[in-house]
Amino acid sequence: MHETMDMADDPEYDEEEPSFSDSEDYVDDIEEDELLSDLMREKPLEADGIDSVVVVDNVPQVGPERLEKLKNVVNKIFSKFGKITNEFWPMDNGMTKGYIFLEYLAPTQAQEAVKNADGYKLDKQHTFRVNVFTDFDKYMNISDEWETPEKQDFKDFGNMRHWTEDPDCRDHFSVIYESGERTAIYANDAKESITVEERARWTETYVRWSPKGTYLATFHQRGIALWGGEKFKQIQRFSHQGVSLIDFSPCERYVVTFSPLMDTKEDPQAIIIWDILTGQKKRGFHCESSAHWPIFKWSHDGKFFARMTQDTLSIYEAPVSLQSDFSWSPGDNVIAYWVPEDKDIPARVTLSQMPTREEIRVRNLFNVVDCKLHWQRNGDYLCVKVDRTPKGTPGVVTNFEIFRMREKQVPVDVVEMKEGIIAFAWEPNGSKFAVLHGESPRINSSFYHVKNNGKIDLIKSFDKQQANSIFWSPQGQFLVLAGLRSMNGALAFVDTSDCTMMNIAEHYMASDVEWDPTGRYVVTSVSWWSHKVDNAYWLWTFQGRLLQKNNKDRFCQLLWRPRPATLLGVEEIKVIKKDLKKYSKIFEQKDRLSQSKASKELVDKRRAMMDEYRLYREAAVQTLLEQKDLRLELRGGVDTDELDSNVEDWEEETIEFFINEEIIPLGDL
């Protein structure tokens, strides 16, 4: 109180209150969003209340006598996505109009219905199209005027397949080491790999080659970058925050990226399909889980892709009811899928032709626990591994259902296995397959041949194998049985033409096996990602002869660069095989040179010395010619350069010289 009185007595103290009014020329240019941002975020929107409503089109048009039954069917389908609080069925002349409105309890449930029921096939004539009611505003606001796309300048990235023109046919492979800090591209050589490109922090996690080897993909926090050409220039980049997985279409036209960070209700961005040539985003998708990557599976030519969600298999806009696994044929636009048993309805495997969706083969199965689909690389055969529990038989019995895709009506052969299956693999370019079965330490490897007469013969079996993986050569015939990780890297190199063990070796704690595209070499490696010591990769011949041991500090990953498909036809390949002896002489000569003990540095040094000598000799000969006139003048016109030119006219003369004579008396001896 005393302080207050003192302030009042102060002559400088002004009792007049300040004015808070705006000046006459004041302009209020502050937006409400800026001034009341916290309140504006909670401002009700016009769409509130209707964003929980979905519109279902292509609903059957029925009369009152069938309406109740149809409502029950529709409610059964759409109630799986949430609680339906209201529904409206428009009528015209006593018939439904073919579209309905369903209101859910929450907008998230409506989004779930759109995501899973859009494209649902009710019957042959009716396939549902489902949209959120608020989407109609978006569709109505689309401009009717055509906007011509901007013309983009052509970018020449050079020869994108330059490595295929190497005269020594050396394949490339990528290596990540120093725990991911360094990435290098090497050209493979039996004696010593040649560095093509090496960069620090080229990727933040790992790298991937495209299916034909054209692009190298590197991962970064902000997205994906593609590199290619002779100097590995950046070809394209795709912005996808937190990207962790990618997949290419077989034609290399599209790339699919996945990020667990980027996804919203309005704009799905967990999975994005990109156009590689233009860099444009083609479409985004929601994703609940990436446990079974790739989410999308492509047909062999990249024209179709499919995705499985809950009980629906979506192939573009052609859904098929499904509850389990599916797989595309590698050689045709044929998709195989299986559906488990449902009460008295047996499980079945179906092969459908796309895009007609014609069922070319259906196989019913009973007492099925699980199915796995394995295609031969050319699509000639499909193996369906069926685990079943026959009635009255304890345990699980495995059958291999072999579909012969190139024969009429697709006949099926069955191979029964009473032991547990560890691994199965088709020969890439043949009709054989290998199986690892049994339990450790009694693991057996068996080799089968699918013959043209409708029989499947057991070729050979090996007992007590230390193996848990099968790796076929890309060209077939040869394979490696490997006991990776827990089996300490045991290796068996097998020639399946006569089923002989070419060699048995070991790469302790090996975690990966990678064949080169030609099938001439195979690499075994111990990755720092799985084991923190002894990180290295070893290079072997297809016969199991060790060529190189490459120890890299904290080695992480090795990937061979794929080769594009050959441009040679079947007849041209036959001619080359017929004349192989003619080419083999050239190859043998190159092999002998490569096996020389002289190192590459010594050979280069000798070549440099030879080139230096040739230059010196040419200069000396030139000097000799320039001084010829001077020599003739000094020697009285005698051309001494020609003295050796008429050797055949020379005459031989013997001249004796007396040198010394000594007489030794014999008596003194």
Side-chain angles (χ1 to χ4, degrees), residues 28 68 163-164 216 240 262 288 303 325 332 340 365 391 436 460 488 548 550 572 583-584 625 633 635 644 668:
D28 186 2
E68 195 63 31
W163 85 99
T164 61
L216 177 71
H240 199 181
M262 303 294 292
E288 292 77 16
K303 291 183 179 180
D325 195 16
D332 307 278
L365 305 169
K391 293 181 179 179
L436 289 176
K460 183 81 172 180
N488 297 330
Q548 299 175 17
N550 295 282
E572 292 172 308
Y583 303 118
S584 63
L625 294 175
E633 182 182 349
R635 296 171 183 176
D644 294 341
D668 296 339

PDB file of all heavy atoms in Angstrom, residues 28 68 163-164 216 240 262 288 303 325 332 340 365 391 436 460 488 548 550 572 583-584 625 633 635 644 668:
ATOM      1  N   ASP A  28      -7.147  -5.273 -40.794  1.00  0.00           N
ATOM      2  CA  ASP A  28      -7.098  -6.586 -40.125  1.00  0.00           C
ATOM      3  C   ASP A  28      -6.811  -7.673 -41.180  1.00  0.00           C
ATOM      4  O   ASP A  28      -7.701  -8.085 -41.926  1.00  0.00           O
ATOM      5  CB  ASP A  28      -8.427  -6.871 -39.433  1.00  0.00           C
ATOM      6  CG  ASP A  28      -8.374  -8.156 -38.607  1.00  0.00           C
ATOM      7  OD1 ASP A  28      -7.292  -8.769 -38.566  1.00  0.00           O
ATOM      8  OD2 ASP A  28      -9.413  -8.533 -38.012  1.00  0.00           O
ATOM      9  N   GLU A  68     -35.753 -58.850 -48.630  1.00  0.00           N
ATOM     10  CA  GLU A  68     -35.297 -59.210 -47.288  1.00  0.00           C
ATOM     11  C   GLU A  68     -34.098 -60.144 -47.353  1.00  0.00           C
ATOM     12  O   GLU A  68     -33.136 -60.004 -46.576  1.00  0.00           O
ATOM     13  CB  GLU A  68     -36.442 -59.859 -46.514  1.00  0.00           C
ATOM     14  CG  GLU A  68     -36.196 -59.932 -45.008  1.00  0.00           C
ATOM     15  CD  GLU A  68     -36.075 -58.556 -44.374  1.00  0.00           C
ATOM     16  OE1 GLU A  68     -36.717 -57.605 -44.868  1.00  0.00           O
ATOM     17  OE2 GLU A  68     -35.304 -58.436 -43.392  1.00  0.00           O
ATOM     18  N   TRP A 163      27.610 -53.743 -69.167  1.00  0.00           N
ATOM     19  CA  TRP A 163      28.378 -54.848 -68.590  1.00  0.00           C
ATOM     20  C   TRP A 163      28.190 -56.149 -69.361  1.00  0.00           C
ATOM     21  O   TRP A 163      29.017 -57.052 -69.289  1.00  0.00           O
ATOM     22  CB  TRP A 163      28.006 -55.025 -67.119  1.00  0.00           C
ATOM     23  CG  TRP A 163      26.801 -55.866 -66.852  1.00  0.00           C
ATOM     24  CD1 TRP A 163      26.768 -57.173 -66.488  1.00  0.00           C
ATOM     25  CD2 TRP A 163      25.424 -55.464 -66.923  1.00  0.00           C
ATOM     26  NE1 TRP A 163      25.473 -57.617 -66.321  1.00  0.00           N
ATOM     27  CE2 TRP A 163      24.629 -56.580 -66.581  1.00  0.00           C
ATOM     28  CE3 TRP A 163      24.787 -54.269 -67.237  1.00  0.00           C
ATOM     29  CZ2 TRP A 163      23.237 -56.521 -66.556  1.00  0.00           C
ATOM     30  CZ3 TRP A 163      23.406 -54.226 -67.211  1.00  0.00           C
ATOM     31  CH2 TRP A 163      22.661 -55.333 -66.869  1.00  0.00           C
ATOM     32  N   THR A 164      27.104 -56.250 -70.133  1.00  0.00           N
ATOM     33  CA  THR A 164      26.890 -57.464 -70.926  1.00  0.00           C
ATOM     34  C   THR A 164      27.795 -57.516 -72.149  1.00  0.00           C
ATOM     35  O   THR A 164      27.864 -58.549 -72.814  1.00  0.00           O
ATOM     36  CB  THR A 164      25.421 -57.551 -71.378  1.00  0.00           C
ATOM     37  OG1 THR A 164      25.108 -56.422 -72.205  1.00  0.00           O
ATOM     38  CG2 THR A 164      24.486 -57.565 -70.182  1.00  0.00           C
ATOM     39  N   LEU A 216      20.430 -50.291 -59.969  1.00  0.00           N
ATOM     40  CA  LEU A 216      20.814 -50.592 -58.592  1.00  0.00           C
ATOM     41  C   LEU A 216      20.031 -49.647 -57.693  1.00  0.00           C
ATOM     42  O   LEU A 216      20.109 -48.421 -57.852  1.00  0.00           O
ATOM     43  CB  LEU A 216      22.313 -50.393 -58.385  1.00  0.00           C
ATOM     44  CG  LEU A 216      22.814 -50.613 -56.943  1.00  0.00           C
ATOM     45  CD1 LEU A 216      22.767 -52.098 -56.589  1.00  0.00           C
ATOM     46  CD2 LEU A 216      24.223 -50.066 -56.757  1.00  0.00           C
ATOM     47  N   HIS A 240       9.803 -41.294 -50.456  1.00  0.00           N
ATOM     48  CA  HIS A 240       8.902 -42.086 -49.606  1.00  0.00           C
ATOM     49  C   HIS A 240       9.563 -42.180 -48.232  1.00  0.00           C
ATOM     50  O   HIS A 240      10.451 -43.009 -48.012  1.00  0.00           O
ATOM     51  CB  HIS A 240       8.680 -43.474 -50.214  1.00  0.00           C
ATOM     52  CG  HIS A 240       7.467 -44.162 -49.680  1.00  0.00           C
ATOM     53  ND1 HIS A 240       7.079 -45.429 -50.064  1.00  0.00           N
ATOM     54  CD2 HIS A 240       6.526 -43.761 -48.769  1.00  0.00           C
ATOM     55  CE1 HIS A 240       5.977 -45.768 -49.439  1.00  0.00           C
ATOM     56  NE2 HIS A 240       5.626 -44.778 -48.644  1.00  0.00           N
ATOM     57  N   MET A 262       4.450 -43.762 -43.422  1.00  0.00           N
ATOM     58  CA  MET A 262       3.612 -42.892 -44.241  1.00  0.00           C
ATOM     59  C   MET A 262       2.289 -43.563 -44.580  1.00  0.00           C
ATOM     60  O   MET A 262       2.206 -44.376 -45.486  1.00  0.00           O
ATOM     61  CB  MET A 262       4.354 -42.519 -45.532  1.00  0.00           C
ATOM     62  CG  MET A 262       5.695 -41.842 -45.313  1.00  0.00           C
ATOM     63  SD  MET A 262       5.504 -40.224 -44.546  1.00  0.00           S
ATOM     64  CE  MET A 262       4.713 -39.339 -45.876  1.00  0.00           C
ATOM     65  N   GLU A 288      -1.659 -53.228 -43.610  1.00  0.00           N
ATOM     66  CA  GLU A 288      -1.729 -53.529 -42.183  1.00  0.00           C
ATOM     67  C   GLU A 288      -0.440 -54.172 -41.690  1.00  0.00           C
ATOM     68  O   GLU A 288      -0.004 -53.971 -40.563  1.00  0.00           O
ATOM     69  CB  GLU A 288      -2.908 -54.465 -41.891  1.00  0.00           C
ATOM     70  CG  GLU A 288      -4.268 -53.840 -42.095  1.00  0.00           C
ATOM     71  CD  GLU A 288      -4.639 -53.752 -43.562  1.00  0.00           C
ATOM     72  OE1 GLU A 288      -3.986 -54.444 -44.380  1.00  0.00           O
ATOM     73  OE2 GLU A 288      -5.558 -52.989 -43.899  1.00  0.00           O
ATOM     74  N   LYS A 303       2.209 -57.281 -66.600  1.00  0.00           N
ATOM     75  CA  LYS A 303       0.942 -56.681 -67.001  1.00  0.00           C
ATOM     76  C   LYS A 303      -0.109 -56.740 -65.896  1.00  0.00           C
ATOM     77  O   LYS A 303      -1.038 -55.940 -65.878  1.00  0.00           O
ATOM     78  CB  LYS A 303       0.406 -57.387 -68.252  1.00  0.00           C
ATOM     79  CG  LYS A 303       1.223 -57.122 -69.501  1.00  0.00           C
ATOM     80  CD  LYS A 303       0.591 -57.795 -70.710  1.00  0.00           C
ATOM     81  CE  LYS A 303       1.397 -57.502 -71.974  1.00  0.00           C
ATOM     82  NZ  LYS A 303       0.801 -58.161 -73.162  1.00  0.00           N
ATOM     83  N   ASP A 325      -3.014 -68.708 -49.734  1.00  0.00           N
ATOM     84  CA  ASP A 325      -1.862 -68.298 -50.520  1.00  0.00           C
ATOM     85  C   ASP A 325      -2.181 -68.328 -52.012  1.00  0.00           C
ATOM     86  O   ASP A 325      -3.090 -69.022 -52.459  1.00  0.00           O
ATOM     87  CB  ASP A 325      -0.679 -69.231 -50.213  1.00  0.00           C
ATOM     88  CG  ASP A 325       0.626 -68.656 -50.706  1.00  0.00           C
ATOM     89  OD1 ASP A 325       0.670 -67.441 -50.989  1.00  0.00           O
ATOM     90  OD2 ASP A 325       1.604 -69.419 -50.811  1.00  0.00           O
ATOM     91  N   ASP A 332       3.555 -67.726 -67.818  1.00  0.00           N
ATOM     92  CA  ASP A 332       2.272 -67.390 -68.440  1.00  0.00           C
ATOM     93  C   ASP A 332       1.459 -66.528 -67.485  1.00  0.00           C
ATOM     94  O   ASP A 332       1.762 -66.441 -66.295  1.00  0.00           O
ATOM     95  CB  ASP A 332       1.480 -68.660 -68.781  1.00  0.00           C
ATOM     96  CG  ASP A 332       2.280 -69.642 -69.614  1.00  0.00           C
ATOM     97  OD1 ASP A 332       2.346 -69.458 -70.829  1.00  0.00           O
ATOM     98  OD2 ASP A 332       2.849 -70.587 -69.019  1.00  0.00           O
ATOM     99  N   PRO A 340      -8.888 -73.140 -48.292  1.00  0.00           N
ATOM    100  CA  PRO A 340      -8.985 -74.223 -47.302  1.00  0.00           C
ATOM    101  C   PRO A 340     -10.393 -74.812 -47.211  1.00  0.00           C
ATOM    102  O   PRO A 340     -11.353 -74.279 -47.775  1.00  0.00           O
ATOM    103  CB  PRO A 340      -8.580 -73.543 -45.990  1.00  0.00           C
ATOM    104  CG  PRO A 340      -8.890 -72.107 -46.203  1.00  0.00           C
ATOM    105  CD  PRO A 340      -8.655 -71.831 -47.650  1.00  0.00           C
ATOM    106  N   LEU A 365      -8.896 -81.250 -52.473  1.00  0.00           N
ATOM    107  CA  LEU A 365      -8.017 -81.886 -51.492  1.00  0.00           C
ATOM    108  C   LEU A 365      -8.767 -82.048 -50.178  1.00  0.00           C
ATOM    109  O   LEU A 365      -9.589 -81.189 -49.811  1.00  0.00           O
ATOM    110  CB  LEU A 365      -6.754 -81.033 -51.280  1.00  0.00           C
ATOM    111  CG  LEU A 365      -5.939 -80.690 -52.536  1.00  0.00           C
ATOM    112  CD1 LEU A 365      -4.892 -79.645 -52.207  1.00  0.00           C
ATOM    113  CD2 LEU A 365      -5.276 -81.941 -53.108  1.00  0.00           C
ATOM    114  N   LYS A 391      -7.386 -89.416 -41.844  1.00  0.00           N
ATOM    115  CA  LYS A 391      -8.148 -89.995 -40.742  1.00  0.00           C
ATOM    116  C   LYS A 391      -7.574 -91.356 -40.365  1.00  0.00           C
ATOM    117  O   LYS A 391      -7.282 -92.183 -41.223  1.00  0.00           O
ATOM    118  CB  LYS A 391      -9.614 -90.137 -41.140  1.00  0.00           C
ATOM    119  CG  LYS A 391     -10.323 -88.798 -41.343  1.00  0.00           C
ATOM    120  CD  LYS A 391     -11.782 -88.996 -41.715  1.00  0.00           C
ATOM    121  CE  LYS A 391     -12.474 -87.640 -41.885  1.00  0.00           C
ATOM    122  NZ  LYS A 391     -13.890 -87.797 -42.274  1.00  0.00           N
ATOM    123  N   LEU A 436      14.750 -82.022 -49.321  1.00  0.00           N
ATOM    124  CA  LEU A 436      15.408 -82.368 -48.063  1.00  0.00           C
ATOM    125  C   LEU A 436      14.315 -82.778 -47.081  1.00  0.00           C
ATOM    126  O   LEU A 436      13.359 -82.016 -46.852  1.00  0.00           O
ATOM    127  CB  LEU A 436      16.193 -81.176 -47.505  1.00  0.00           C
ATOM    128  CG  LEU A 436      17.473 -80.776 -48.250  1.00  0.00           C
ATOM    129  CD1 LEU A 436      18.069 -79.513 -47.634  1.00  0.00           C
ATOM    130  CD2 LEU A 436      18.498 -81.894 -48.232  1.00  0.00           C
ATOM    131  N   LYS A 460      17.884 -90.596 -57.021  1.00  0.00           N
ATOM    132  CA  LYS A 460      18.932 -90.903 -56.047  1.00  0.00           C
ATOM    133  C   LYS A 460      18.556 -90.306 -54.700  1.00  0.00           C
ATOM    134  O   LYS A 460      17.888 -89.271 -54.624  1.00  0.00           O
ATOM    135  CB  LYS A 460      20.275 -90.309 -56.521  1.00  0.00           C
ATOM    136  CG  LYS A 460      21.466 -90.615 -55.649  1.00  0.00           C
ATOM    137  CD  LYS A 460      22.038 -91.993 -55.908  1.00  0.00           C
ATOM    138  CE  LYS A 460      23.339 -92.209 -55.162  1.00  0.00           C
ATOM    139  NZ  LYS A 460      23.920 -93.545 -55.397  1.00  0.00           N
ATOM    140  N   ASN A 488      26.573 -74.807 -39.244  1.00  0.00           N
ATOM    141  CA  ASN A 488      28.006 -74.488 -39.328  1.00  0.00           C
ATOM    142  C   ASN A 488      28.558 -74.424 -40.743  1.00  0.00           C
ATOM    143  O   ASN A 488      29.761 -74.542 -40.958  1.00  0.00           O
ATOM    144  CB  ASN A 488      28.840 -75.479 -38.506  1.00  0.00           C
ATOM    145  CG  ASN A 488      28.511 -75.410 -37.033  1.00  0.00           C
ATOM    146  OD1 ASN A 488      28.126 -74.345 -36.524  1.00  0.00           O
ATOM    147  ND2 ASN A 488      28.625 -76.520 -36.333  1.00  0.00           N
ATOM    148  N   GLN A 548      38.746 -68.162 -54.165  1.00  0.00           N
ATOM    149  CA  GLN A 548      39.136 -66.947 -53.442  1.00  0.00           C
ATOM    150  C   GLN A 548      38.535 -66.949 -52.042  1.00  0.00           C
ATOM    151  O   GLN A 548      37.448 -67.477 -51.827  1.00  0.00           O
ATOM    152  CB  GLN A 548      38.630 -65.691 -54.164  1.00  0.00           C
ATOM    153  CG  GLN A 548      39.143 -65.471 -55.557  1.00  0.00           C
ATOM    154  CD  GLN A 548      38.485 -64.263 -56.206  1.00  0.00           C
ATOM    155  OE1 GLN A 548      37.880 -63.415 -55.542  1.00  0.00           O
ATOM    156  NE2 GLN A 548      38.591 -64.176 -57.522  1.00  0.00           N
ATOM    157  N   ASN A 550      37.787 -63.813 -49.581  1.00  0.00           N
ATOM    158  CA  ASN A 550      37.787 -62.360 -49.483  1.00  0.00           C
ATOM    159  C   ASN A 550      37.276 -61.945 -48.107  1.00  0.00           C
ATOM    160  O   ASN A 550      36.079 -62.052 -47.827  1.00  0.00           O
ATOM    161  CB  ASN A 550      36.907 -61.752 -50.570  1.00  0.00           C
ATOM    162  CG  ASN A 550      37.444 -62.024 -51.966  1.00  0.00           C
ATOM    163  OD1 ASN A 550      38.377 -61.380 -52.422  1.00  0.00           O
ATOM    164  ND2 ASN A 550      36.849 -63.000 -52.643  1.00  0.00           N
ATOM    165  N   GLU A 572      19.263 -70.712 -82.777  1.00  0.00           N
ATOM    166  CA  GLU A 572      20.597 -70.116 -82.692  1.00  0.00           C
ATOM    167  C   GLU A 572      21.400 -70.718 -81.537  1.00  0.00           C
ATOM    168  O   GLU A 572      22.608 -70.947 -81.659  1.00  0.00           O
ATOM    169  CB  GLU A 572      20.469 -68.598 -82.511  1.00  0.00           C
ATOM    170  CG  GLU A 572      19.903 -67.899 -83.734  1.00  0.00           C
ATOM    171  CD  GLU A 572      19.603 -66.434 -83.472  1.00  0.00           C
ATOM    172  OE1 GLU A 572      18.895 -66.151 -82.483  1.00  0.00           O
ATOM    173  OE2 GLU A 572      20.059 -65.590 -84.242  1.00  0.00           O
ATOM    174  N   TYR A 583      34.605 -72.895 -80.372  1.00  0.00           N
ATOM    175  CA  TYR A 583      34.779 -71.784 -79.435  1.00  0.00           C
ATOM    176  C   TYR A 583      35.631 -72.189 -78.230  1.00  0.00           C
ATOM    177  O   TYR A 583      36.313 -71.346 -77.628  1.00  0.00           O
ATOM    178  CB  TYR A 583      33.417 -71.285 -78.941  1.00  0.00           C
ATOM    179  CG  TYR A 583      32.479 -70.852 -80.032  1.00  0.00           C
ATOM    180  CD1 TYR A 583      31.265 -71.501 -80.229  1.00  0.00           C
ATOM    181  CD2 TYR A 583      32.799 -69.795 -80.878  1.00  0.00           C
ATOM    182  CE1 TYR A 583      30.384 -71.112 -81.231  1.00  0.00           C
ATOM    183  CE2 TYR A 583      31.936 -69.397 -81.884  1.00  0.00           C
ATOM    184  CZ  TYR A 583      30.736 -70.057 -82.059  1.00  0.00           C
ATOM    185  OH  TYR A 583      29.883 -69.672 -83.054  1.00  0.00           O
ATOM    186  N   SER A 584      35.590 -73.467 -77.870  1.00  0.00           N
ATOM    187  CA  SER A 584      36.286 -73.909 -76.659  1.00  0.00           C
ATOM    188  C   SER A 584      37.798 -73.698 -76.758  1.00  0.00           C
ATOM    189  O   SER A 584      38.462 -73.478 -75.747  1.00  0.00           O
ATOM    190  CB  SER A 584      35.979 -75.380 -76.372  1.00  0.00           C
ATOM    191  OG  SER A 584      36.465 -76.203 -77.416  1.00  0.00           O
ATOM    192  N   LEU A 625      68.490 -43.281 -90.374  1.00  0.00           N
ATOM    193  CA  LEU A 625      68.181 -42.866 -91.740  1.00  0.00           C
ATOM    194  C   LEU A 625      68.592 -41.421 -92.002  1.00  0.00           C
ATOM    195  O   LEU A 625      69.082 -41.088 -93.094  1.00  0.00           O
ATOM    196  CB  LEU A 625      66.674 -43.037 -91.987  1.00  0.00           C
ATOM    197  CG  LEU A 625      66.141 -44.479 -91.980  1.00  0.00           C
ATOM    198  CD1 LEU A 625      64.619 -44.490 -92.107  1.00  0.00           C
ATOM    199  CD2 LEU A 625      66.762 -45.286 -93.104  1.00  0.00           C
ATOM    200  N   GLU A 633      79.630 -39.846 -96.792  1.00  0.00           N
ATOM    201  CA  GLU A 633      80.682 -38.835 -96.995  1.00  0.00           C
ATOM    202  C   GLU A 633      81.929 -39.190 -96.202  1.00  0.00           C
ATOM    203  O   GLU A 633      83.062 -39.061 -96.701  1.00  0.00           O
ATOM    204  CB  GLU A 633      80.130 -37.469 -96.589  1.00  0.00           C
ATOM    205  CG  GLU A 633      81.123 -36.335 -96.809  1.00  0.00           C
ATOM    206  CD  GLU A 633      80.570 -34.999 -96.361  1.00  0.00           C
ATOM    207  OE1 GLU A 633      79.346 -34.919 -96.085  1.00  0.00           O
ATOM    208  OE2 GLU A 633      81.349 -34.040 -96.282  1.00  0.00           O
ATOM    209  N   ARG A 635      82.957 -42.155 -95.311  1.00  0.00           N
ATOM    210  CA  ARG A 635      83.536 -43.442 -95.679  1.00  0.00           C
ATOM    211  C   ARG A 635      83.782 -43.560 -97.185  1.00  0.00           C
ATOM    212  O   ARG A 635      83.840 -44.655 -97.741  1.00  0.00           O
ATOM    213  CB  ARG A 635      82.617 -44.569 -95.205  1.00  0.00           C
ATOM    214  CG  ARG A 635      82.508 -44.586 -93.686  1.00  0.00           C
ATOM    215  CD  ARG A 635      81.459 -45.541 -93.200  1.00  0.00           C
ATOM    216  NE  ARG A 635      81.326 -45.472 -91.732  1.00  0.00           N
ATOM    217  CZ  ARG A 635      80.426 -46.140 -91.030  1.00  0.00           C
ATOM    218  NH1 ARG A 635      79.567 -46.938 -91.640  1.00  0.00           N
ATOM    219  NH2 ARG A 635      80.379 -46.011 -89.719  1.00  0.00           N
ATOM    220  N   ASP A 644      76.339 -56.214 -94.957  1.00  0.00           N
ATOM    221  CA  ASP A 644      75.803 -57.509 -94.544  1.00  0.00           C
ATOM    222  C   ASP A 644      74.725 -58.031 -95.494  1.00  0.00           C
ATOM    223  O   ASP A 644      74.150 -59.083 -95.259  1.00  0.00           O
ATOM    224  CB  ASP A 644      75.202 -57.414 -93.134  1.00  0.00           C
ATOM    225  CG  ASP A 644      76.279 -57.124 -92.102  1.00  0.00           C
ATOM    226  OD1 ASP A 644      77.447 -57.366 -92.416  1.00  0.00           O
ATOM    227  OD2 ASP A 644      75.922 -56.663 -90.985  1.00  0.00           O
ATOM    228  N   ASP A 668     112.573 -85.624 -66.150  1.00  0.00           N
ATOM    229  CA  ASP A 668     112.237 -84.842 -64.937  1.00  0.00           C
ATOM    230  C   ASP A 668     110.868 -85.213 -64.354  1.00  0.00           C
ATOM    231  O   ASP A 668     110.493 -84.741 -63.288  1.00  0.00           O
ATOM    232  CB  ASP A 668     112.241 -83.342 -65.265  1.00  0.00           C
ATOM    233  CG  ASP A 668     113.652 -82.874 -65.674  1.00  0.00           C
ATOM    234  OD1 ASP A 668     114.584 -83.587 -65.310  1.00  0.00           O
ATOM    235  OD2 ASP A 668     113.743 -81.814 -66.337  1.00  0.00           O
TER     236      ASP A 668
END
